[in-house]
Coordinates of all heavy atoms in Angstrom, one line a residue:
M1 N -33.4 68.0 110.4 CA -33.8 66.6 110.7 C -34.0 65.9 109.4 O -34.5 66.3 108.4 CB -35.1 66.7 111.5 CG -35.5 65.3 111.9 SD -36.9 65.3 113.0 CE -38.2 64.7 112.0
T2 N -33.5 64.7 109.4 CA -33.6 63.8 108.2 C -34.9 63.0 108.3 O -35.3 62.4 109.3 CB -32.4 62.8 108.2 OG1 -31.2 63.5 108.1 CG2 -32.5 61.8 107.0
V3 N -35.6 63.0 107.2 CA -36.8 62.2 107.0 C -36.4 60.8 106.7 O -35.7 60.6 105.8 CB -37.7 62.8 105.9 CG1 -38.9 61.9 105.7 CG2 -38.2 64.2 106.1
R4 N -36.8 59.9 107.6 CA -36.5 58.5 107.3 C -37.7 57.8 106.7 O -38.8 57.9 107.1 CB -36.3 57.8 108.7 CG -35.0 58.2 109.3 CD -34.7 57.5 110.6 NE -35.8 56.7 111.2 CZ -35.7 55.6 111.9 NH1 -34.5 55.1 112.1 NH2 -36.7 55.1 112.4
I5 N -37.4 57.2 105.5 CA -38.4 56.5 104.8 C -38.1 55.0 105.0 O -37.0 54.5 104.6 CB -38.4 56.9 103.3 CG1 -38.7 58.4 103.2 CG2 -39.5 56.0 102.5 CD1 -38.5 58.9 101.8
L6 N -39.1 54.2 105.5 CA -38.9 52.8 105.8 C -39.7 52.0 104.8 O -40.9 52.2 104.7 CB -39.4 52.6 107.2 CG -39.4 51.2 107.7 CD1 -38.0 50.6 107.8 CD2 -40.0 51.1 109.1
V7 N -39.0 51.0 104.2 CA -39.7 50.0 103.4 C -39.7 48.7 104.3 O -38.7 48.2 104.7 CB -38.9 49.7 102.1 CG1 -39.6 48.6 101.3 CG2 -38.8 51.0 101.3
H8 N -40.9 48.2 104.5 CA -41.0 47.0 105.4 C -42.1 46.1 104.9 O -43.0 46.5 104.1 CB -41.3 47.4 106.8 CG -42.6 48.0 107.0 ND1 -43.7 47.3 107.6 CD2 -43.1 49.2 106.8 CE1 -44.7 48.1 107.6 NE2 -44.4 49.3 107.2
H9 N -42.0 44.8 105.2 CA -43.1 43.8 104.9 C -44.0 43.7 106.1 O -43.6 43.4 107.2 CB -42.5 42.5 104.5 CG -43.4 41.6 103.8 ND1 -44.3 40.8 104.4 CD2 -43.5 41.4 102.4 CE1 -45.0 40.2 103.5 NE2 -44.6 40.5 102.3
D10 N -45.3 43.8 105.8 CA -46.3 43.8 106.9 C -47.1 42.5 106.9 O -48.1 42.4 107.6 CB -47.2 45.0 106.9 CG -48.1 45.0 105.7 OD1 -48.0 44.1 104.8 OD2 -49.0 45.9 105.6
G11 N -46.7 41.5 106.2 CA -47.4 40.2 106.2 C -48.3 40.1 104.9 O -48.5 39.0 104.4
A12 N -48.8 41.3 104.5 CA -49.6 41.3 103.3 C -48.8 41.7 102.0 O -49.2 41.5 100.9 CB -50.8 42.2 103.5
G13 N -47.7 42.5 102.2 CA -46.9 43.0 101.2 C -45.9 44.0 101.7 O -45.8 44.3 102.9
W14 N -45.2 44.6 100.7 CA -44.2 45.6 101.1 C -44.9 47.0 101.2 O -45.6 47.4 100.3 CB -43.1 45.7 100.0 CG -42.3 44.4 100.1 CD1 -42.5 43.3 99.3 CD2 -41.2 44.1 101.0 NE1 -41.6 42.3 99.7 CE2 -40.8 42.8 100.7 CE3 -40.5 44.9 101.9 CZ2 -39.7 42.3 101.4 CZ3 -39.5 44.3 102.6 CH2 -39.1 43.0 102.3
R15 N -44.6 47.7 102.2 CA -45.2 49.1 102.5 C -44.1 50.1 102.7 O -43.0 49.7 103.1 CB -46.1 49.1 103.7 CG -47.3 48.2 103.5 CD -48.4 48.7 104.3 NE -49.6 47.8 104.2 CZ -50.6 48.1 103.4 NH1 -50.6 49.1 102.7 NH2 -51.6 47.2 103.4
I16 N -44.4 51.3 102.4 CA -43.5 52.4 102.6 C -44.1 53.3 103.7 O -45.3 53.6 103.7 CB -43.4 53.3 101.3 CG1 -42.8 52.4 100.2 CG2 -42.5 54.5 101.6 CD1 -42.7 53.1 98.9
A17 N -43.3 53.7 104.7 CA -43.8 54.5 105.8 C -42.7 55.4 106.2 O -41.5 55.2 105.9 CB -44.3 53.7 106.9
S18 N -43.1 56.4 107.0 CA -42.1 57.3 107.6 C -42.4 57.4 109.1 O -43.4 58.0 109.5 CB -42.2 58.7 107.0 OG -41.2 59.6 107.6
P19 N -41.6 56.8 109.9 CA -41.9 56.7 111.4 C -42.0 58.0 112.0 O -42.8 58.2 113.0 CB -40.7 56.0 111.9 CG -40.0 55.2 110.8 CD -40.4 56.1 109.6
E20 N -41.3 59.1 111.6 CA -41.4 60.4 112.2 C -42.7 61.2 111.8 O -43.0 62.1 112.5 CB -40.2 61.3 111.8 CG -38.9 60.8 112.4 CD -38.2 59.7 111.5 OE1 -38.6 59.6 110.4 OE2 -37.3 59.1 112.0
R21 N -43.3 60.8 110.8 CA -44.5 61.5 110.3 C -45.8 60.9 110.8 O -45.9 59.7 110.8 CB -44.5 61.6 108.8 CG -43.2 62.2 108.2 CD -43.1 63.6 108.4 NE -41.8 64.1 107.9 CZ -41.7 65.3 107.4 NH1 -42.6 66.1 107.3 NH2 -40.4 65.7 107.0
D22 N -46.8 61.7 111.1 CA -48.1 61.2 111.5 C -48.9 60.9 110.2 O -49.4 61.9 109.6 CB -48.8 62.2 112.3 CG -50.1 61.7 112.9 OD1 -50.3 60.4 112.8 OD2 -51.0 62.5 113.3
L23 N -48.9 59.7 109.7 CA -49.6 59.3 108.5 C -51.0 58.9 108.7 O -51.3 58.1 109.7 CB -48.8 58.2 107.8 CG -47.3 58.6 107.4 CD1 -46.6 57.4 106.8 CD2 -47.3 59.7 106.5
D24 N -51.9 59.2 107.9 CA -53.3 58.8 107.9 C -53.3 57.3 107.4 O -53.1 57.1 106.3 CB -54.2 59.6 107.1 CG -55.6 59.2 107.0 OD1 -56.0 58.4 107.9 OD2 -56.3 59.6 106.1
M25 N -53.6 56.4 108.3 CA -53.5 55.0 108.0 C -54.9 54.4 107.5 O -55.0 53.3 107.1 CB -53.0 54.2 109.2 CG -51.7 54.6 109.7 SD -50.4 54.6 108.4 CE -49.4 53.2 108.9
S26 N -55.9 55.3 107.6 CA -57.2 54.8 107.2 C -57.4 54.4 105.7 O -58.0 53.4 105.4 CB -58.3 55.8 107.6 OG -58.1 57.0 106.9
G27 N -56.8 55.2 104.9 CA -56.9 55.0 103.4 C -55.7 54.5 102.8 O -55.3 54.9 101.8
R28 N -55.0 53.6 103.5 CA -53.7 53.1 103.0 C -53.8 52.4 101.7 O -54.8 51.6 101.4 CB -53.1 52.1 104.0 CG -52.7 52.7 105.3 CD -52.3 51.7 106.4 NE -51.2 50.8 105.9 CZ -50.5 50.1 106.7 NH1 -50.7 50.2 108.0 NH2 -49.5 49.4 106.2
P29 N -52.9 52.7 100.8 CA -52.9 52.0 99.5 C -52.6 50.6 99.6 O -52.0 50.1 100.6 CB -51.8 52.8 98.7 CG -50.9 53.4 99.7 CD -51.8 53.6 100.9
R30 N -52.9 49.8 98.6 CA -52.6 48.4 98.5 C -51.0 48.2 98.6 O -50.3 49.0 98.0 CB -53.1 47.9 97.2 CG -53.0 46.4 97.1 CD -53.6 45.9 95.7 NE -52.7 46.4 94.7 CZ -53.1 46.8 93.5 NH1 -54.3 46.8 93.2 NH2 -52.2 47.2 92.6
P31 N -50.5 47.3 99.3 CA -49.1 47.1 99.5 C -48.5 46.6 98.1 O -49.1 46.1 97.3 CB -48.9 46.0 100.5 CG -50.2 45.2 100.5 CD -51.3 46.2 100.1
Y32 N -47.2 46.9 98.0 CA -46.4 46.4 96.8 C -46.2 44.9 97.0 O -46.0 44.4 98.0 CB -45.1 47.1 96.8 CG -45.1 48.6 96.6 CD1 -45.2 49.4 97.6 CD2 -44.9 49.1 95.3 CE1 -45.2 50.8 97.4 CE2 -44.9 50.4 95.1 CZ -45.1 51.3 96.1 OH -45.0 52.7 95.9
T33 N -46.3 44.2 95.8 CA -46.0 42.8 95.8 C -44.5 42.5 95.7 O -44.0 41.5 96.1 CB -46.8 42.0 94.7 OG1 -46.4 42.6 93.5 CG2 -48.3 42.1 95.0
Q34 N -43.8 43.4 95.0 CA -42.4 43.3 94.8 C -41.6 44.3 95.6 O -41.8 45.5 95.7 CB -42.1 43.6 93.3 CG -42.7 42.6 92.3 CD -42.2 41.2 92.5 OE1 -41.0 41.0 92.6 NE2 -43.2 40.3 92.5
R35 N -40.6 43.7 96.3 CA -39.7 44.5 97.2 C -39.0 45.6 96.4 O -38.9 46.8 96.8 CB -38.7 43.6 97.9 CG -37.7 44.3 98.8 CD -36.8 43.2 99.4 NE -35.8 43.8 100.2 CZ -34.5 43.9 99.8 NH1 -34.1 43.5 98.6 NH2 -33.6 44.5 100.6
D36 N -38.5 45.3 95.2 CA -37.8 46.3 94.4 C -38.6 47.4 94.0 O -38.2 48.6 93.9 CB -37.2 45.6 93.1 CG -36.0 44.7 93.4 OD1 -35.5 44.8 94.5 OD2 -35.7 43.9 92.6
E37 N -39.9 47.2 93.7 CA -40.8 48.3 93.4 C -41.0 49.3 94.5 O -41.0 50.5 94.4 CB -42.2 47.8 92.9 CG -42.1 47.1 91.6 CD -43.5 46.6 91.1 OE1 -44.5 46.7 91.9 OE2 -43.6 46.1 90.0
A38 N -41.2 48.7 95.7 CA -41.3 49.6 96.9 C -40.0 50.4 97.1 O -40.1 51.6 97.5 CB -41.6 48.7 98.1
I39 N -38.9 49.8 97.0 CA -37.6 50.5 97.2 C -37.5 51.6 96.1 O -37.1 52.7 96.4 CB -36.4 49.5 97.1 CG1 -36.5 48.6 98.4 CG2 -35.1 50.2 97.1 CD1 -35.4 47.4 98.3
S40 N -37.8 51.3 94.9 CA -37.7 52.2 93.8 C -38.6 53.5 94.1 O -38.1 54.6 94.0 CB -38.1 51.6 92.5 OG -38.1 52.5 91.5
D41 N -39.8 53.3 94.5 CA -40.7 54.4 94.9 C -40.2 55.2 96.1 O -40.3 56.4 96.1 CB -42.1 53.9 95.0 CG -42.8 53.6 93.7 OD1 -42.2 53.9 92.6 OD2 -44.0 53.2 93.7
A42 N -39.6 54.5 97.1 CA -39.1 55.1 98.3 C -37.9 56.0 97.9 O -37.8 57.1 98.4 CB -38.7 54.1 99.3
L43 N -37.0 55.5 97.0 CA -35.9 56.3 96.6 C -36.3 57.5 95.8 O -35.7 58.6 95.9 CB -34.9 55.4 95.7 CG -34.2 54.3 96.5 CD1 -33.4 53.4 95.5 CD2 -33.2 55.0 97.5
F44 N -37.4 57.3 95.0 CA -37.9 58.4 94.2 C -38.4 59.5 95.2 O -38.2 60.7 95.0 CB -39.0 57.9 93.3 CG -39.7 59.1 92.5 CD1 -39.1 59.6 91.4 CD2 -40.9 59.6 92.9 CE1 -39.7 60.6 90.7 CE2 -41.5 60.6 92.2 CZ -40.9 61.1 91.1
A45 N -39.2 59.1 96.2 CA -39.7 60.0 97.2 C -38.5 60.8 97.9 O -38.6 62.0 98.1 CB -40.6 59.3 98.2
A46 N -37.5 60.0 98.2 CA -36.3 60.7 98.9 C -35.7 61.7 98.0 O -35.3 62.8 98.4 CB -35.3 59.6 99.3
R47 N -35.5 61.4 96.7 CA -34.9 62.3 95.7 C -35.8 63.6 95.6 O -35.3 64.7 95.6 CB -34.8 61.7 94.4 CG -33.6 60.7 94.3 CD -33.3 60.3 92.9 NE -34.4 59.7 92.1 CZ -34.7 58.4 92.2 NH1 -34.0 57.6 92.9 NH2 -35.7 58.0 91.4
M48 N -37.1 63.4 95.6 CA -38.0 64.6 95.5 C -37.9 65.4 96.8 O -37.9 66.7 96.7 CB -39.4 64.1 95.3 CG -39.7 63.5 94.0 SD -39.3 64.5 92.6 CE -37.7 63.8 92.1
L49 N -37.8 64.8 98.0 CA -37.6 65.5 99.2 C -36.3 66.3 99.2 O -36.3 67.5 99.6 CB -37.7 64.6 100.4 CG -39.1 64.1 100.8 CD1 -39.0 63.0 101.8 CD2 -40.0 65.2 101.3
R50 N -35.3 65.7 98.7 CA -34.0 66.3 98.7 C -34.0 67.5 97.7 O -33.4 68.6 98.0 CB -32.9 65.4 98.2 CG -32.5 64.4 99.3 CD -31.3 63.5 98.9 NE -31.4 62.3 99.6 CZ -31.6 61.1 99.0 NH1 -31.7 61.0 97.7 NH2 -31.7 60.0 99.7
A51 N -34.8 67.4 96.6 CA -34.9 68.5 95.7 C -35.6 69.7 96.3 O -35.4 70.8 95.9 CB -35.7 68.0 94.4
L52 N -36.5 69.4 97.3 CA -37.2 70.5 98.0 C -36.4 71.0 99.2 O -36.9 71.8 100.0 CB -38.6 69.9 98.5 CG -39.5 69.6 97.3 CD1 -40.7 68.8 97.9 CD2 -40.0 70.9 96.6
G53 N -35.2 70.5 99.4 CA -34.4 71.0 100.5 C -34.4 70.2 101.8 O -33.8 70.6 102.8
E54 N -35.1 69.1 101.8 CA -35.2 68.2 103.0 C -34.1 67.1 102.9 O -33.8 66.7 101.8 CB -36.6 67.5 103.0 CG -37.7 68.4 103.3 CD -38.0 68.7 104.7 OE1 -37.5 68.0 105.6 OE2 -38.7 69.7 105.0
A55 N -33.6 66.8 104.0 CA -32.7 65.6 104.1 C -33.6 64.3 104.2 O -34.5 64.3 104.9 CB -31.8 65.7 105.3
A56 N -33.3 63.3 103.4 CA -34.1 62.1 103.4 C -33.2 60.9 103.3 O -32.2 60.9 102.6 CB -35.1 62.1 102.3
A57 N -33.6 59.8 103.9 CA -32.8 58.5 103.8 C -33.8 57.4 103.8 O -34.9 57.4 104.4 CB -31.9 58.3 105.1
V58 N -33.5 56.4 103.0 CA -34.4 55.2 102.8 C -33.7 54.0 103.5 O -32.5 53.7 103.3 CB -34.6 54.9 101.3 CG1 -35.4 53.6 101.1 CG2 -35.2 56.0 100.6
Y59 N -34.5 53.3 104.3 CA -34.1 52.1 105.0 C -35.0 51.0 104.6 O -36.2 51.1 104.4 CB -34.2 52.3 106.5 CG -33.3 53.3 107.1 CD1 -33.6 54.7 107.1 CD2 -32.0 52.9 107.6 CE1 -32.7 55.6 107.6 CE2 -31.1 53.9 108.1 CZ -31.5 55.2 108.1 OH -30.6 56.1 108.6
V60 N -34.4 49.8 104.5 CA -35.2 48.6 104.2 C -35.1 47.7 105.5 O -34.0 47.4 106.0 CB -34.7 47.8 103.0 CG1 -35.4 46.5 102.8 CG2 -34.8 48.6 101.8
E61 N -36.2 47.2 105.9 CA -36.3 46.3 107.0 C -36.1 44.8 106.5 O -36.9 44.3 105.8 CB -37.6 46.4 107.8 CG -37.7 45.6 109.1 CD -39.0 45.9 109.8 OE1 -40.1 45.8 109.1 OE2 -39.0 46.1 111.0
N62 N -35.0 44.2 107.0 CA -34.7 42.8 106.6 C -34.7 42.0 107.9 O -34.9 42.5 109.0 CB -33.2 42.8 106.0 CG -33.1 43.5 104.7 OD1 -34.0 43.4 103.9 ND2 -32.1 44.3 104.6
S63 N -34.5 40.7 107.7 CA -34.5 39.8 108.8 C -33.4 40.1 109.8 O -33.5 39.8 111.0 CB -34.4 38.3 108.4 OG -33.2 38.2 107.7
D64 N -32.3 40.8 109.4 CA -31.2 41.2 110.3 C -31.3 42.6 110.7 O -30.3 43.1 111.2 CB -29.9 40.9 109.6 CG -29.7 41.6 108.3 OD1 -30.7 42.2 107.7 OD2 -28.6 41.7 107.8
G65 N -32.4 43.3 110.5 CA -32.6 44.6 111.0 C -32.7 45.6 109.8 O -33.0 45.2 108.7
L66 N -32.6 46.9 110.2 CA -32.7 48.0 109.2 C -31.4 48.2 108.4 O -30.3 48.1 109.0 CB -33.1 49.3 109.8 CG -34.5 49.3 110.4 CD1 -34.7 50.7 111.1 CD2 -35.5 49.1 109.4
R67 N -31.5 48.4 107.1 CA -30.3 48.7 106.3 C -30.5 49.9 105.5 O -31.6 50.1 104.8 CB -30.0 47.5 105.4 CG -28.7 47.6 104.6 CD -28.5 46.5 103.7 NE -29.4 46.3 102.6 CZ -29.4 46.8 101.4 NH1 -28.4 47.7 101.1 NH2 -30.3 46.6 100.5
L68 N -29.6 50.8 105.5 CA -29.7 52.1 104.7 C -29.5 51.7 103.2 O -28.6 50.9 102.9 CB -28.6 53.0 105.2 CG -28.5 54.4 104.4 CD1 -29.8 55.2 104.6 CD2 -27.3 55.2 104.8
V69 N -30.4 52.3 102.4 CA -30.3 52.0 101.0 C -29.8 53.3 100.3 O -30.5 54.3 100.5 CB -31.7 51.6 100.4 CG1 -31.6 51.4 98.9 CG2 -32.2 50.4 101.1
A70 N -28.7 53.2 99.6 CA -28.3 54.4 98.8 C -28.7 54.2 97.4 O -28.8 53.1 96.9 CB -26.7 54.5 98.9
D71 N -28.9 55.3 96.7 CA -29.3 55.3 95.3 C -28.4 54.5 94.4 O -28.7 53.7 93.6 CB -29.4 56.7 94.7 CG -30.6 57.5 95.2 OD1 -31.6 56.8 95.5 OD2 -30.6 58.7 95.2
E72 N -27.1 54.6 94.8 CA -26.1 53.9 94.0 C -26.1 52.4 94.2 O -25.6 51.6 93.4 CB -24.7 54.5 94.3 CG -24.5 55.9 94.0 CD -25.1 56.8 95.2 OE1 -25.1 56.4 96.3 OE2 -25.5 57.9 94.9
D73 N -26.6 52.0 95.4 CA -26.6 50.6 95.7 C -27.6 49.8 94.9 O -27.5 48.5 94.8 CB -26.9 50.4 97.2 CG -25.8 50.8 98.1 OD1 -24.7 51.0 97.6 OD2 -26.1 51.0 99.3
T74 N -28.6 50.4 94.4 CA -29.7 49.7 93.7 C -29.7 50.1 92.3 O -29.3 51.2 91.9 CB -31.0 50.1 94.4 OG1 -31.2 51.5 94.2 CG2 -31.1 49.7 95.8
Q75 N -30.1 49.2 91.5 CA -30.3 49.4 90.1 C -31.8 49.2 89.7 O -32.1 48.4 88.8 CB -29.4 48.5 89.2 CG -27.9 48.8 89.4 CD -27.5 50.2 89.1 OE1 -28.0 50.8 88.1 NE2 -26.7 50.9 89.9
V76 N -32.6 49.8 90.5 CA -34.1 49.6 90.3 C -34.7 50.8 89.8 O -35.9 51.2 90.2 CB -34.8 49.1 91.6 CG1 -34.3 47.7 91.9 CG2 -34.5 50.0 92.8
W77 N -34.0 51.6 89.0 CA -34.5 52.8 88.5 C -35.8 52.6 87.6 O -35.8 51.7 86.8 CB -33.5 53.6 87.7 CG -32.3 53.9 88.5 CD1 -31.1 53.3 88.6 CD2 -32.2 55.1 89.3 NE1 -30.3 53.9 89.5 CE2 -30.9 55.0 89.9 CE3 -33.0 56.1 89.7 CZ2 -30.5 56.0 90.8 CZ3 -32.6 57.1 90.5 CH2 -31.3 57.0 91.1
R78 N -36.7 53.4 87.8 CA -37.9 53.3 86.9 C -38.4 54.7 86.5 O -38.0 55.6 87.2 CB -39.1 52.6 87.7 CG -38.8 51.2 88.2 CD -40.0 50.6 88.9 NE -39.7 49.3 89.5 CZ -39.7 48.2 88.8 NH1 -40.0 48.2 87.5 NH2 -39.4 47.1 89.4
K79 N -39.1 54.7 85.4 CA -39.6 56.0 85.0 C -40.8 56.4 85.8 O -41.6 55.5 86.1 CB -40.0 56.0 83.5 CG -38.9 55.9 82.6 CD -39.3 56.0 81.2 CE -38.2 55.9 80.2 NZ -38.6 56.0 78.8
H80 N -40.9 57.6 86.3 CA -42.0 58.1 87.1 C -42.7 59.3 86.3 O -42.0 60.0 85.7 CB -41.6 58.6 88.4 CG -41.1 57.5 89.3 ND1 -42.0 56.7 90.1 CD2 -39.9 56.9 89.5 CE1 -41.3 55.8 90.7 NE2 -40.1 55.9 90.4

C-alpha cells in the first residue's frame, strides 16, 4: 500500500497530513506559511519512507483538485 502524503491549506496555513494514517491532531504543529516549504518537507518524508521500504506519494491540494508531486517536478530542495 502506498502512503499518501497530502499538502493542503487549512485557512491558517499549509499543513502536511496522511489521510490513511490515524494522526494525533491534539498537538498539531504550527502550519507552514510557505507552500514550497511544506512541499519540500513532504517530499523529504516520502524519500525517507521509500528508504525504509515503504511506497510513498506526495499530493498537493489546489483549487482544481489534487495533483501528484514528483521530486523532479520541484526544485525546492532544502538541507535537512
Side-chain angles (χ1 to χ4, degrees):
M1 182 170 110
T2 299
V3 176
R4 291 183 343 150
I5 301 171
L6 175 63
V7 177
H8 67 101
H9 197 279
D10 67 355
W14 292 93
R15 295 211 182 260
I16 299 172
S18 181
E20 290 88 14
R21 306 287 175 147
D22 184 18
L23 301 175
D24 177 18
M25 302 306 249
S26 61
R28 290 173 58 162
R30 189 179 67 214
Y32 294 86
T33 57
Q34 299 294 316
R35 179 178 176 259
D36 288 346
E37 288 179 358
I39 292 172
S40 177
D41 282 357
L43 289 171
F44 177 78
R47 286 193 302 274
M48 294 302 102
L49 286 169
R50 287 187 209 111
L52 294 170
E54 293 275 342
V58 176
Y59 293 87
V60 175
E61 187 176 49
N62 294 315
S63 59
D64 59 345
L66 293 177
R67 183 178 68 87
L68 179 64
V69 178
D71 287 333
E72 301 81 26
D73 290 346
T74 61
Q75 296 300 317
V76 291
W77 297 98
R78 299 184 186 279
K79 290 185 179 182
H80 290 275

